[in-house]
């Protein structure tokens, strides 16, 4: 059995740390790409207008496992013009599609609340679809910390 020198141990440790950082960067880019693809599929390639959405999320989440989310869409809910779906996407999650809410004219209001799981600090993107084929979007950054430290 061969023993490693102090220098070799440090080189191996630094290499392992670099690989883990590069690996996470690659996963984050892949997740962001997948998030964009899910939004494009949801909108059918149409561009969503900014606005008409109120997204309530904490700026800093001490626990990424249960982050409270509320979404309200300021739109009419009449028989011929209503919000039919709302898509919630977390750009940094391994599986970016967090939730899809379905509404009808009889819902009265286009609003929903839930708790979501976030892997890391990231943007949460919300896209609302109306019965007339219009799309509205908004996003909010949530900083996920461990034990409330950092940011």
């Amino acid at each position: 059995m061969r023993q490693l020198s102090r220098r070799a141990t440090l080189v191996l440790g630094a290499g392992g740390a670099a690989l883990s950082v590069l690996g996470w960067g690659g996963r984050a880019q892949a997740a962001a790409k997948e998030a964009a693809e899910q939004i494009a599929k949801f909108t059918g390639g149409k561009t969503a207008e900014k606005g008409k959405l109120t997204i309530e999320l904490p700026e800093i989440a001490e626990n990424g496992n249960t982050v409270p989310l509320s979404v309200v869409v300021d739109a009419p809910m009449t028989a011929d013009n209503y919000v039919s779906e709302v898509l919630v996407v977390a750009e940094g999650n391994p599986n970016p599609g967090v939730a899809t809410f379905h509404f009808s004219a009889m819902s009265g209001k286009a609003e929903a609340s839930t708790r979501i799981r976030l892997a890391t600090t990231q943007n949460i993107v919300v896209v609302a679809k109306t019965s007339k084929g219009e799309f509205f979007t908004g996003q909010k950054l949530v900083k996920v910390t461990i034990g409330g430290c950092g940011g």
Side-chain angles (χ1 to χ4, degrees), residues 6-53:
R6 187 178 302 163
R7 180 176 291 163
T9 303
L10 288 173
V11 168
L12 283 173
L19 282 174
S20 69
V21 169
L22 292 173
W24 174 251
R27 281 184 265 145
Q29 287 177 341
K33 182 180 175 185
E34 187 178 339
E37 288 171 356
Q38 285 185 3
I39 292 169
K41 183 178 177 184
F42 181 76
T43 63
K46 293 182 182 177
T47 303
E49 290 181 42
K50 290 187 178 183
K52 294 198 177 191
L53 287 169

Side-chain angles (χ1 to χ4, degrees), residues 11 20 24 31 43 49-50 69-70 100 107 112 127 132 135 142:
V11 168
S20 69
W24 174 251
T43 63
E49 290 181 42
K50 290 187 178 183
L69 164 72
S70 292
T100 303
S107 297
V127 183
K132 291 187 172 187
F135 295 92
V142 178

Side-chain angles (χ1 to χ4, degrees), residues 66-135:
T66 58
V67 181
L69 164 72
S70 292
V71 177
V72 178
V73 184
D74 182 23
M77 294 297 280
T78 61
D80 60 340
N81 187 13
Y82 60 93
V83 174
S84 59
E85 292 179 85
V86 173
L87 173 69
V88 180
V89 176
E91 290 183 338
N93 275 6
N95 183 5
V98 175
T100 303
F101 300 102
H102 301 275
F103 300 97
S104 71
M106 294 179 65
S107 297
K109 294 181 183 179
E111 59 183 59
S113 297
T114 190
R115 291 189 179 271
I116 62 175
R117 187 172 188 176
L118 301 177
T120 185
T121 297
Q122 60 189 293
N123 283 317
I124 306 304
V125 181
V126 178
V127 183
K129 177 182 180 180
T130 69
S131 60
K132 291 187 172 187
E134 299 172 312
F135 295 92

Side-chain angles (χ1 to χ4, degrees), residues 131-150:
S131 60
K132 291 187 172 187
E134 299 172 312
F135 295 92
F136 302 101
T137 189
Q139 72 178 24
K140 191 163 183 184
L141 176 68
V142 178
K143 295 178 184 177
V144 177
T145 64
I146 298 172
C149 298

